[in-house]
């Protein structure tokens, strides 16, 4: 029996209005700029203001892709994030309200480090496989923060990716078969009483590589011919050299092989956008996917794409996708570039000022905030309740 085609029908990207140039920041920090631009592969880093929080990022990303007709068919709004704004209330419920979605839909949030949105995508696909006339909205939204002048500073970022999951998708089908692995570790975590994440950088990088090798070895055991059929591999990219490190680790474990060379040939296209945005945690894999689809002219409809997801702690999974006949029509490279080019560059002083801003709350009230640009924004807190407005 032929598998029902389900997957990503639409995909949208939203990043904040501001960014910092990595060469300028490195020079200011007394670091050789090549260490950041070449060593970890980052050119720019998205910088969010208080008004551009994860809810606003998520709502703006979703608002780009869904229509009124879609809203009537969407049964679930699922958000993957590790930047929640409330210990109880999900980001998804805020987005559901802001976008005036179908009230007879459910909204919830998933957390497992950077893997959360992949779990959301899998849940969405499984739901649509059982109800092919319905749709699910999946959003990855995060703000990556490690502190000023820290070892993690150059791997920060902010942004959101929205995906509409449906039957007969226009962009990418997601196969039901996937390959996953869980390994309880402390490579990256953030205790409830800590503003910033705790990370063992060298261990986390090595663990990522080990997980990639383990998952691919599992693929070899379960479906020996599958890896040969994968034309390009996309990766969760907390920094854009990470995927190359994983490929090198697999080559070291298995020896030189044409498939590794093939995957390397597509790699640069898959990290173009990530170089300009930085680390967006749950959305980094899907930013890499958008980059590959928008920037790689050598791909063809019908080809198989691997999506390697990794979330510290650690959970990893390889999804298998197939490019649809007219996918290029629905991933507009020019519009994506315009979205990134609209941003304003910050000086280091401006960046540090924005980074250190705090939302002060007294007796459940905060000072009102103003929008950075057209779109949804966090307007402040009233009676302990987060308020969001739309700037026309």
């Amino acid at each position: 029996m032929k598998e029902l085609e389900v997957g990503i029908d639409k995909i949208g990207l939203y990043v904040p209005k501001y960014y910092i140039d990595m060469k300028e920041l490195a020079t200011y920090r007394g670091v050789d700029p090549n260490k950041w631009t070449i060593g970890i592969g980052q050119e720019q880093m998205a910088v969010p203001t208080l008004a551009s929080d994860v809810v606003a990022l998520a709502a703006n990303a979703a608002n780009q892709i869904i229509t009124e007709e879609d809203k009537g068919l969407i049964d679930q709004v699922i958000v993957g994030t590790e930047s929640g704004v409330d210990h109880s209330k999900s980001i998804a419920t805020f987005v559901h309200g802001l976008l005036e979605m179908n009230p007879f839909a459910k909204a919830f949030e998933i957390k497992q480090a950077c893997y959360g949105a992949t779990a959301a995508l899998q849940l969405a696909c499984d739901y649509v496989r059982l109800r092919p006339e319905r749709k699910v909205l999946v959003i990855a939204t995060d703000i990556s923060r490690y502190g000023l002048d820290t070892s993690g500073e150059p791997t920060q970022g902010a942004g959101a990716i929205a995906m509409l999951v449906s039957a007969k998708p226009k962009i990418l089908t997601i196969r039901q078969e996937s390959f996953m692995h869980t390994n309880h570790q402390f490579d990256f975590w953030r205790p409830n009483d800590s503003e910033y994440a705790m990370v063992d950088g060298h261990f986390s990088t090595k663990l990522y590589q080990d997980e990639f090798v383990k998952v691919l070895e599992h693929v070899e055991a379960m479906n020996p011919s599958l890896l040969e059929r994968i034309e390009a591999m996309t990766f969760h990219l907390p920094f854009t050299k990470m995927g190359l490190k994983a490929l090198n680790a697999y080559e070291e474990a298995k020896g030189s092989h044409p498939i590794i060379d093939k995957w390397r040939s597509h790699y640069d296209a898959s990290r173009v956008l990530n170089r300009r945005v930085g680390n967006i945690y749950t959305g980094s894999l899907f930013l890499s996917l958008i980059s590959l689809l928008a920037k790689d002219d050598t791909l063809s409809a019908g080809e198989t794409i691997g999506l390697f997801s990794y979330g510290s702690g650690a959970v990893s999974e390889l999804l298998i996708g197939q490019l649809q006949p007219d996918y290029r029509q629905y991933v507009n490279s020019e519009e994506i570039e315009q979205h990134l080019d609209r941003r304003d560059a910050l000086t280091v002083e401006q960046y540090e000022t924005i980074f250190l801003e705090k939302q002060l709350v007294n007796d459940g009230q905060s000072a009102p905030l103003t929008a950075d640009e057209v779109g949804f924004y966090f307007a402040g807190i009233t009676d302990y309740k987060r308020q969001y407005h739309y700037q026309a």
Side-chain angles (χ1 to χ4, degrees):
M1 182 177 177
K2 185 179 178 182
E3 184 177 313
L4 178 67
E5 293 186 342
V6 171
I8 301 171
D9 187 58
K10 299 180 184 179
I11 191 165
L13 161 68
Y14 188 86
V15 297
K17 182 75 166 67
Y18 303 105
Y19 73 92
I20 183 74
D21 181 88
M22 298 304 285
K23 289 182 179 179
E24 183 177 348
L25 182 58
T27 301
Y28 189 90
R29 297 283 185 246
V31 175
D32 179 357
N34 288 337
K35 185 176 180 180
W36 290 356
T37 59
I38 298 174
I40 62 172
Q42 298 303 132
E43 296 176 2
Q44 299 172 348
M45 184 171 74
V47 179
T49 64
L50 291 177
S52 190
D53 74 349
V54 285
V55 173
L57 293 172
N60 284 317
N63 199 40
Q64 292 179 354
I65 66 169
I66 60 171
T67 64
E68 290 302 315
E69 180 181 359
D70 291 331
K71 291 178 185 180
L73 295 172
I74 291 171
D75 282 350
Q76 300 188 70
V77 180
I78 315 176
V79 169
T81 188
E82 53 181 294
S83 310
V85 297
D86 189 282
H87 287 302
S88 180
K89 184 174 171 62
S90 73
I91 292 170
T93 58
F94 285 101
V95 173
H96 180 280
L98 289 171
L99 298 182
E100 300 179 340
M101 304 291 290
N102 164 29
F104 297 99
K106 52 187 169 184
F108 58 98
E109 185 174 297
I110 295 176
K111 177 181 70 178
Q112 171 39 49
C114 300
Y115 170 78
T118 303
L121 177 60
Q122 289 285 64
L123 282 174
C125 288
D126 285 345
Y127 183 89
V128 174
R129 288 185 183 105
L130 295 174
R131 304 163 183 83
E133 74 285 356
R134 308 303 292 175
K135 300 181 180 184
V136 177
L137 176 62
V138 173
I139 307 171
T141 183
D142 270 303
I143 295 173
S144 171
R145 287 171 60 91
Y146 298 105
L148 298 177
D149 201 13
T150 63
S151 61
E153 183 179 34
T155 60
Q156 298 177 134
I161 307 290
M163 296 173 280
L164 186 65
V165 174
S166 75
K168 299 180 180 178
K170 301 182 185 72
I171 297 174
L172 189 77
T173 58
I174 302 294
R175 282 180 52 168
Q176 192 166 348
E177 180 182 36
S178 71
F179 307 86
M180 67 289 290
H181 188 259
T182 296
N183 183 0
H184 172 49
Q185 298 289 346
F186 280 96
D187 59 318
F188 172 104
W189 70 105
R190 183 163 72 89
N192 287 339
D193 59 352
S194 177
E195 180 179 358
Y196 302 124
M198 298 181 179
V199 59
D200 184 339
H202 291 294
F203 174 54
S204 189
T205 299
K206 179 64 165 58
L207 184 60
Y208 180 111
Q209 295 171 63
D210 291 345
E211 288 297 305
F212 181 67
V213 173
K214 286 178 183 176
V215 168
L216 263 58
E217 288 176 341
H218 184 50
V219 176
E220 293 168 356
M222 301 300 294
N223 190 340
S225 66
L226 178 57
L227 294 182
E228 298 277 356
R229 300 199 300 272
I230 296 176
E231 176 62 28
M233 185 74 72
T234 57
F235 293 86
H236 163 59
L237 295 178
F239 57 90
T240 71
K241 273 292 186 71
M242 184 65 100
L244 281 179
K245 290 178 180 291
L247 290 174
N248 293 341
Y250 184 62
E251 186 173 54
E252 184 177 332
K254 299 297 179 179
S256 180
H257 196 286
I259 63 170
I260 301 174
D261 295 332
K262 179 172 63 174
W263 295 345
R264 282 197 183 107
S265 74
H266 295 285
Y267 187 77
D268 280 345
S270 74
R271 64 174 176 170
V272 172
L273 302 183
N274 302 68
R275 289 180 66 90
R276 297 190 61 188
V277 176
N279 185 6
I280 57 172
Y281 287 157
T282 56
S284 292
L285 167 62
F286 303 106
L287 181 60
S288 176
L289 174 64
I290 294 173
S291 186
L292 178 75
L293 302 186
K295 301 298 182 181
D296 194 329
D297 294 331
T298 68
L299 291 174
S300 300
E303 289 184 322
T304 299
I305 306 297
L307 297 89
F308 178 70
S309 179
Y310 175 85
S312 291
V315 177
S316 53
E317 184 172 13
L318 179 67
L319 307 186
I320 307 299
Q322 185 174 43
L323 294 173
Q324 295 305 284
D326 298 315
Y327 77 92
R328 292 187 188 279
Q329 295 182 25
Y330 304 100
V331 184
N332 190 309
S333 180
E334 185 176 339
E335 288 183 0
I336 293 167
E337 289 296 329
Q338 289 173 354
H339 182 65
L340 295 179
D341 290 344
R342 89 193 194 290
R343 299 178 300 167
D344 296 329
L346 299 172
T347 65
V348 176
E349 291 81 2
Q350 289 171 326
Y351 152 68
E352 290 185 336
T353 297
I354 290 173
F355 189 93
L356 293 172
E357 286 179 337
K358 303 289 185 184
Q359 184 71 12
L360 300 178
V361 181
N362 294 308
D363 295 325
Q365 316 296 320
S366 75
L369 299 172
T370 57
D372 298 326
E373 59 181 336
V374 171
F376 294 103
Y377 69 99
F378 173 46
I381 295 174
T382 302
D383 296 330
Y384 295 100
K385 301 169 186 175
R386 300 179 74 86
Q387 306 296 314
Y388 292 88
H389 298 158
Y390 186 87
Q391 175 66 49

PDB file of all heavy atoms in Angstrom, residues 5-30:
ATOM      1  N   GLU A   5       1.036  10.788   1.074  1.00  0.00           N
ATOM      2  CA  GLU A   5       2.007  11.880   1.027  1.00  0.00           C
ATOM      3  C   GLU A   5       1.580  13.002   1.961  1.00  0.00           C
ATOM      4  O   GLU A   5       0.545  13.649   1.766  1.00  0.00           O
ATOM      5  CB  GLU A   5       2.145  12.400  -0.402  1.00  0.00           C
ATOM      6  CG  GLU A   5       2.785  11.394  -1.347  1.00  0.00           C
ATOM      7  CD  GLU A   5       3.060  11.967  -2.717  1.00  0.00           C
ATOM      8  OE1 GLU A   5       2.459  13.027  -3.049  1.00  0.00           O
ATOM      9  OE2 GLU A   5       3.858  11.386  -3.471  1.00  0.00           O
ATOM     10  N   VAL A   6       2.392  13.228   2.987  1.00  0.00           N
ATOM     11  CA  VAL A   6       2.141  14.253   3.997  1.00  0.00           C
ATOM     12  C   VAL A   6       3.450  14.980   4.259  1.00  0.00           C
ATOM     13  O   VAL A   6       4.522  14.373   4.237  1.00  0.00           O
ATOM     14  CB  VAL A   6       1.619  13.626   5.310  1.00  0.00           C
ATOM     15  CG1 VAL A   6       1.569  14.652   6.431  1.00  0.00           C
ATOM     16  CG2 VAL A   6       0.248  13.008   5.093  1.00  0.00           C
ATOM     17  N   GLY A   7       3.383  16.279   4.507  1.00  0.00           N
ATOM     18  CA  GLY A   7       4.612  17.000   4.809  1.00  0.00           C
ATOM     19  C   GLY A   7       4.426  18.499   4.831  1.00  0.00           C
ATOM     20  O   GLY A   7       3.345  19.002   5.160  1.00  0.00           O
ATOM     21  N   ILE A   8       5.472  19.219   4.459  1.00  0.00           N
ATOM     22  CA  ILE A   8       5.501  20.680   4.561  1.00  0.00           C
ATOM     23  C   ILE A   8       4.900  21.298   3.301  1.00  0.00           C
ATOM     24  O   ILE A   8       5.477  21.230   2.218  1.00  0.00           O
ATOM     25  CB  ILE A   8       6.942  21.175   4.780  1.00  0.00           C
ATOM     26  CG1 ILE A   8       7.524  20.561   6.063  1.00  0.00           C
ATOM     27  CG2 ILE A   8       6.980  22.700   4.858  1.00  0.00           C
ATOM     28  CD1 ILE A   8       9.009  20.829   6.248  1.00  0.00           C
ATOM     29  N   ASP A   9       3.742  21.910   3.481  1.00  0.00           N
ATOM     30  CA  ASP A   9       3.039  22.546   2.367  1.00  0.00           C
ATOM     31  C   ASP A   9       3.480  23.996   2.183  1.00  0.00           C
ATOM     32  O   ASP A   9       3.598  24.488   1.059  1.00  0.00           O
ATOM     33  CB  ASP A   9       1.532  22.486   2.626  1.00  0.00           C
ATOM     34  CG  ASP A   9       0.717  22.980   1.448  1.00  0.00           C
ATOM     35  OD1 ASP A   9       0.863  22.416   0.347  1.00  0.00           O
ATOM     36  OD2 ASP A   9      -0.046  23.954   1.624  1.00  0.00           O
ATOM     37  N   LYS A  10       3.736  24.685   3.306  1.00  0.00           N
ATOM     38  CA  LYS A  10       4.228  26.061   3.287  1.00  0.00           C
ATOM     39  C   LYS A  10       5.258  26.209   4.392  1.00  0.00           C
ATOM     40  O   LYS A  10       5.184  25.528   5.422  1.00  0.00           O
ATOM     41  CB  LYS A  10       3.091  27.062   3.531  1.00  0.00           C
ATOM     42  CG  LYS A  10       1.968  27.049   2.505  1.00  0.00           C
ATOM     43  CD  LYS A  10       0.906  28.087   2.879  1.00  0.00           C
ATOM     44  CE  LYS A  10      -0.288  28.060   1.944  1.00  0.00           C
ATOM     45  NZ  LYS A  10      -1.321  29.075   2.342  1.00  0.00           N
ATOM     46  N   ILE A  11       6.203  27.131   4.183  1.00  0.00           N
ATOM     47  CA  ILE A  11       7.200  27.385   5.217  1.00  0.00           C
ATOM     48  C   ILE A  11       7.571  28.867   5.196  1.00  0.00           C
ATOM     49  O   ILE A  11       7.681  29.468   4.127  1.00  0.00           O
ATOM     50  CB  ILE A  11       8.446  26.485   5.021  1.00  0.00           C
ATOM     51  CG1 ILE A  11       9.357  26.539   6.240  1.00  0.00           C
ATOM     52  CG2 ILE A  11       9.187  26.819   3.741  1.00  0.00           C
ATOM     53  CD1 ILE A  11      10.404  25.416   6.259  1.00  0.00           C
ATOM     54  N   GLY A  12       7.688  29.449   6.377  1.00  0.00           N
ATOM     55  CA  GLY A  12       7.983  30.880   6.483  1.00  0.00           C
ATOM     56  C   GLY A  12       9.027  31.165   7.539  1.00  0.00           C
ATOM     57  O   GLY A  12       9.136  30.440   8.533  1.00  0.00           O
ATOM     58  N   LEU A  13       9.770  32.231   7.329  1.00  0.00           N
ATOM     59  CA  LEU A  13      10.852  32.648   8.223  1.00  0.00           C
ATOM     60  C   LEU A  13      10.598  34.060   8.711  1.00  0.00           C
ATOM     61  O   LEU A  13      10.175  34.934   7.941  1.00  0.00           O
ATOM     62  CB  LEU A  13      12.183  32.605   7.461  1.00  0.00           C
ATOM     63  CG  LEU A  13      13.365  33.407   8.017  1.00  0.00           C
ATOM     64  CD1 LEU A  13      13.852  32.807   9.318  1.00  0.00           C
ATOM     65  CD2 LEU A  13      14.490  33.472   6.984  1.00  0.00           C
ATOM     66  N   TYR A  14      10.854  34.290  10.010  1.00  0.00           N
ATOM     67  CA  TYR A  14      10.808  35.657  10.537  1.00  0.00           C
ATOM     68  C   TYR A  14      11.962  35.843  11.512  1.00  0.00           C
ATOM     69  O   TYR A  14      12.156  35.027  12.423  1.00  0.00           O
ATOM     70  CB  TYR A  14       9.482  35.948  11.246  1.00  0.00           C
ATOM     71  CG  TYR A  14       9.341  37.403  11.625  1.00  0.00           C
ATOM     72  CD1 TYR A  14       8.830  38.328  10.719  1.00  0.00           C
ATOM     73  CD2 TYR A  14       9.761  37.856  12.871  1.00  0.00           C
ATOM     74  CE1 TYR A  14       8.729  39.674  11.054  1.00  0.00           C
ATOM     75  CE2 TYR A  14       9.659  39.200  13.212  1.00  0.00           C
ATOM     76  CZ  TYR A  14       9.140  40.103  12.296  1.00  0.00           C
ATOM     77  OH  TYR A  14       9.058  41.430  12.625  1.00  0.00           O
ATOM     78  N   VAL A  15      12.729  36.912  11.300  1.00  0.00           N
ATOM     79  CA  VAL A  15      13.825  37.254  12.213  1.00  0.00           C
ATOM     80  C   VAL A  15      13.647  38.701  12.665  1.00  0.00           C
ATOM     81  O   VAL A  15      12.968  39.499  12.003  1.00  0.00           O
ATOM     82  CB  VAL A  15      15.198  37.069  11.539  1.00  0.00           C
ATOM     83  CG1 VAL A  15      15.421  35.614  11.162  1.00  0.00           C
ATOM     84  CG2 VAL A  15      15.348  37.964  10.314  1.00  0.00           C
ATOM     85  N   PRO A  16      14.258  39.074  13.804  1.00  0.00           N
ATOM     86  CA  PRO A  16      14.096  40.437  14.319  1.00  0.00           C
ATOM     87  C   PRO A  16      14.641  41.510  13.373  1.00  0.00           C
ATOM     88  O   PRO A  16      15.360  41.219  12.415  1.00  0.00           O
ATOM     89  CB  PRO A  16      14.902  40.412  15.626  1.00  0.00           C
ATOM     90  CG  PRO A  16      15.004  38.977  15.992  1.00  0.00           C
ATOM     91  CD  PRO A  16      15.044  38.222  14.711  1.00  0.00           C
ATOM     92  N   LYS A  17      14.320  42.740  13.701  1.00  0.00           N
ATOM     93  CA  LYS A  17      14.658  43.897  12.868  1.00  0.00           C
ATOM     94  C   LYS A  17      16.144  44.242  12.925  1.00  0.00           C
ATOM     95  O   LYS A  17      16.651  44.962  12.063  1.00  0.00           O
ATOM     96  CB  LYS A  17      13.835  45.108  13.356  1.00  0.00           C
ATOM     97  CG  LYS A  17      14.019  46.392  12.558  1.00  0.00           C
ATOM     98  CD  LYS A  17      13.307  46.310  11.225  1.00  0.00           C
ATOM     99  CE  LYS A  17      13.188  47.682  10.565  1.00  0.00           C
ATOM    100  NZ  LYS A  17      14.496  48.247  10.160  1.00  0.00           N
ATOM    101  N   TYR A  18      16.877  43.715  13.906  1.00  0.00           N
ATOM    102  CA  TYR A  18      18.262  44.149  14.117  1.00  0.00           C
ATOM    103  C   TYR A  18      19.235  42.973  14.105  1.00  0.00           C
ATOM    104  O   TYR A  18      18.873  41.825  14.387  1.00  0.00           O
ATOM    105  CB  TYR A  18      18.371  44.888  15.454  1.00  0.00           C
ATOM    106  CG  TYR A  18      17.442  46.076  15.557  1.00  0.00           C
ATOM    107  CD1 TYR A  18      16.293  46.004  16.339  1.00  0.00           C
ATOM    108  CD2 TYR A  18      17.693  47.240  14.832  1.00  0.00           C
ATOM    109  CE1 TYR A  18      15.426  47.085  16.420  1.00  0.00           C
ATOM    110  CE2 TYR A  18      16.832  48.322  14.904  1.00  0.00           C
ATOM    111  CZ  TYR A  18      15.707  48.240  15.702  1.00  0.00           C
ATOM    112  OH  TYR A  18      14.840  49.306  15.768  1.00  0.00           O
ATOM    113  N   TYR A  19      20.484  43.302  13.770  1.00  0.00           N
ATOM    114  CA  TYR A  19      21.549  42.297  13.812  1.00  0.00           C
ATOM    115  C   TYR A  19      22.862  42.988  14.142  1.00  0.00           C
ATOM    116  O   TYR A  19      23.004  44.211  14.040  1.00  0.00           O
ATOM    117  CB  TYR A  19      21.665  41.554  12.477  1.00  0.00           C
ATOM    118  CG  TYR A  19      22.284  42.370  11.358  1.00  0.00           C
ATOM    119  CD1 TYR A  19      23.664  42.329  11.107  1.00  0.00           C
ATOM    120  CD2 TYR A  19      21.508  43.197  10.536  1.00  0.00           C
ATOM    121  CE1 TYR A  19      24.239  43.084  10.086  1.00  0.00           C
ATOM    122  CE2 TYR A  19      22.071  43.946   9.528  1.00  0.00           C
ATOM    123  CZ  TYR A  19      23.437  43.892   9.298  1.00  0.00           C
ATOM    124  OH  TYR A  19      23.998  44.649   8.297  1.00  0.00           O
ATOM    125  N   ILE A  20      23.830  42.169  14.548  1.00  0.00           N
ATOM    126  CA  ILE A  20      25.181  42.651  14.790  1.00  0.00           C
ATOM    127  C   ILE A  20      26.125  41.922  13.834  1.00  0.00           C
ATOM    128  O   ILE A  20      25.979  40.715  13.614  1.00  0.00           O
ATOM    129  CB  ILE A  20      25.613  42.437  16.268  1.00  0.00           C
ATOM    130  CG1 ILE A  20      27.004  43.002  16.540  1.00  0.00           C
ATOM    131  CG2 ILE A  20      25.562  40.977  16.661  1.00  0.00           C
ATOM    132  CD1 ILE A  20      27.066  44.493  16.625  1.00  0.00           C
ATOM    133  N   ASP A  21      27.070  42.661  13.258  1.00  0.00           N
ATOM    134  CA  ASP A  21      28.064  42.073  12.371  1.00  0.00           C
ATOM    135  C   ASP A  21      29.123  41.359  13.218  1.00  0.00           C
ATOM    136  O   ASP A  21      29.672  41.928  14.162  1.00  0.00           O
ATOM    137  CB  ASP A  21      28.711  43.163  11.520  1.00  0.00           C
ATOM    138  CG  ASP A  21      29.737  42.597  10.559  1.00  0.00           C
ATOM    139  OD1 ASP A  21      29.357  42.223   9.441  1.00  0.00           O
ATOM    140  OD2 ASP A  21      30.929  42.529  10.936  1.00  0.00           O
ATOM    141  N   MET A  22      29.420  40.115  12.878  1.00  0.00           N
ATOM    142  CA  MET A  22      30.315  39.323  13.711  1.00  0.00           C
ATOM    143  C   MET A  22      31.762  39.806  13.660  1.00  0.00           C
ATOM    144  O   MET A  22      32.503  39.671  14.642  1.00  0.00           O
ATOM    145  CB  MET A  22      30.231  37.851  13.310  1.00  0.00           C
ATOM    146  CG  MET A  22      28.843  37.252  13.497  1.00  0.00           C
ATOM    147  SD  MET A  22      28.219  37.421  15.189  1.00  0.00           S
ATOM    148  CE  MET A  22      29.191  36.187  16.022  1.00  0.00           C
ATOM    149  N   LYS A  23      32.180  40.363  12.523  1.00  0.00           N
ATOM    150  CA  LYS A  23      33.533  40.910  12.455  1.00  0.00           C
ATOM    151  C   LYS A  23      33.679  42.092  13.407  1.00  0.00           C
ATOM    152  O   LYS A  23      34.688  42.222  14.105  1.00  0.00           O
ATOM    153  CB  LYS A  23      33.855  41.342  11.023  1.00  0.00           C
ATOM    154  CG  LYS A  23      34.038  40.205  10.043  1.00  0.00           C
ATOM    155  CD  LYS A  23      34.396  40.736   8.656  1.00  0.00           C
ATOM    156  CE  LYS A  23      34.596  39.596   7.667  1.00  0.00           C
ATOM    157  NZ  LYS A  23      34.909  40.093   6.307  1.00  0.00           N
ATOM    158  N   GLU A  24      32.662  42.961  13.422  1.00  0.00           N
ATOM    159  CA  GLU A  24      32.707  44.125  14.301  1.00  0.00           C
ATOM    160  C   GLU A  24      32.701  43.698  15.765  1.00  0.00           C
ATOM    161  O   GLU A  24      33.461  44.229  16.588  1.00  0.00           O
ATOM    162  CB  GLU A  24      31.513  45.037  14.013  1.00  0.00           C
ATOM    163  CG  GLU A  24      31.513  46.311  14.843  1.00  0.00           C
ATOM    164  CD  GLU A  24      30.372  47.244  14.489  1.00  0.00           C
ATOM    165  OE1 GLU A  24      29.718  47.029  13.454  1.00  0.00           O
ATOM    166  OE2 GLU A  24      30.128  48.192  15.263  1.00  0.00           O
ATOM    167  N   LEU A  25      31.850  42.714  16.104  1.00  0.00           N
ATOM    168  CA  LEU A  25      31.783  42.260  17.486  1.00  0.00           C
ATOM    169  C   LEU A  25      33.088  41.576  17.907  1.00  0.00           C
ATOM    170  O   LEU A  25      33.590  41.798  19.016  1.00  0.00           O
ATOM    171  CB  LEU A  25      30.604  41.300  17.661  1.00  0.00           C
ATOM    172  CG  LEU A  25      30.371  40.762  19.076  1.00  0.00           C
ATOM    173  CD1 LEU A  25      30.145  41.898  20.070  1.00  0.00           C
ATOM    174  CD2 LEU A  25      29.190  39.792  19.094  1.00  0.00           C
ATOM    175  N   ALA A  26      33.649  40.756  17.020  1.00  0.00           N
ATOM    176  CA  ALA A  26      34.901  40.077  17.338  1.00  0.00           C
ATOM    177  C   ALA A  26      36.025  41.083  17.577  1.00  0.00           C
ATOM    178  O   ALA A  26      36.792  40.957  18.546  1.00  0.00           O
ATOM    179  CB  ALA A  26      35.280  39.117  16.212  1.00  0.00           C
ATOM    180  N   THR A  27      36.120  42.075  16.717  1.00  0.00           N
ATOM    181  CA  THR A  27      37.160  43.094  16.873  1.00  0.00           C
ATOM    182  C   THR A  27      37.009  43.816  18.204  1.00  0.00           C
ATOM    183  O   THR A  27      37.993  44.053  18.920  1.00  0.00           O
ATOM    184  CB  THR A  27      37.094  44.096  15.706  1.00  0.00           C
ATOM    185  OG1 THR A  27      37.281  43.393  14.467  1.00  0.00           O
ATOM    186  CG2 THR A  27      38.168  45.167  15.845  1.00  0.00           C
ATOM    187  N   TYR A  28      35.782  44.151  18.550  1.00  0.00           N
ATOM    188  CA  TYR A  28      35.507  44.837  19.817  1.00  0.00           C
ATOM    189  C   TYR A  28      35.893  43.953  21.010  1.00  0.00           C
ATOM    190  O   TYR A  28      36.371  44.467  22.036  1.00  0.00           O
ATOM    191  CB  TYR A  28      34.024  45.190  19.876  1.00  0.00           C
ATOM    192  CG  TYR A  28      33.628  46.090  21.023  1.00  0.00           C
ATOM    193  CD1 TYR A  28      33.648  47.477  20.883  1.00  0.00           C
ATOM    194  CD2 TYR A  28      33.226  45.549  22.250  1.00  0.00           C
ATOM    195  CE1 TYR A  28      33.270  48.303  21.934  1.00  0.00           C
ATOM    196  CE2 TYR A  28      32.853  46.356  23.304  1.00  0.00           C
ATOM    197  CZ  TYR A  28      32.871  47.738  23.140  1.00  0.00           C
ATOM    198  OH  TYR A  28      32.511  48.553  24.188  1.00  0.00           O
ATOM    199  N   ARG A  29      35.704  42.645  20.884  1.00  0.00           N
ATOM    200  CA  ARG A  29      36.013  41.718  21.970  1.00  0.00           C
ATOM    201  C   ARG A  29      37.497  41.333  21.998  1.00  0.00           C
ATOM    202  O   ARG A  29      37.922  40.575  22.872  1.00  0.00           O
ATOM    203  CB  ARG A  29      35.171  40.452  21.847  1.00  0.00           C
ATOM    204  CG  ARG A  29      33.674  40.663  21.980  1.00  0.00           C
ATOM    205  CD  ARG A  29      33.256  40.861  23.425  1.00  0.00           C
ATOM    206  NE  ARG A  29      31.817  40.940  23.561  1.00  0.00           N
ATOM    207  CZ  ARG A  29      31.149  42.016  23.945  1.00  0.00           C
ATOM    208  NH1 ARG A  29      31.815  43.127  24.239  1.00  0.00           N
ATOM    209  NH2 ARG A  29      29.840  42.008  24.051  1.00  0.00           N
ATOM    210  N   GLY A  30      38.270  41.815  21.025  1.00  0.00           N
ATOM    211  CA  GLY A  30      39.675  41.459  20.970  1.00  0.00           C
ATOM    212  C   GLY A  30      39.928  40.061  20.447  1.00  0.00           C
ATOM    213  O   GLY A  30      40.945  39.428  20.767  1.00  0.00           O
TER     214      GLY A  30
END
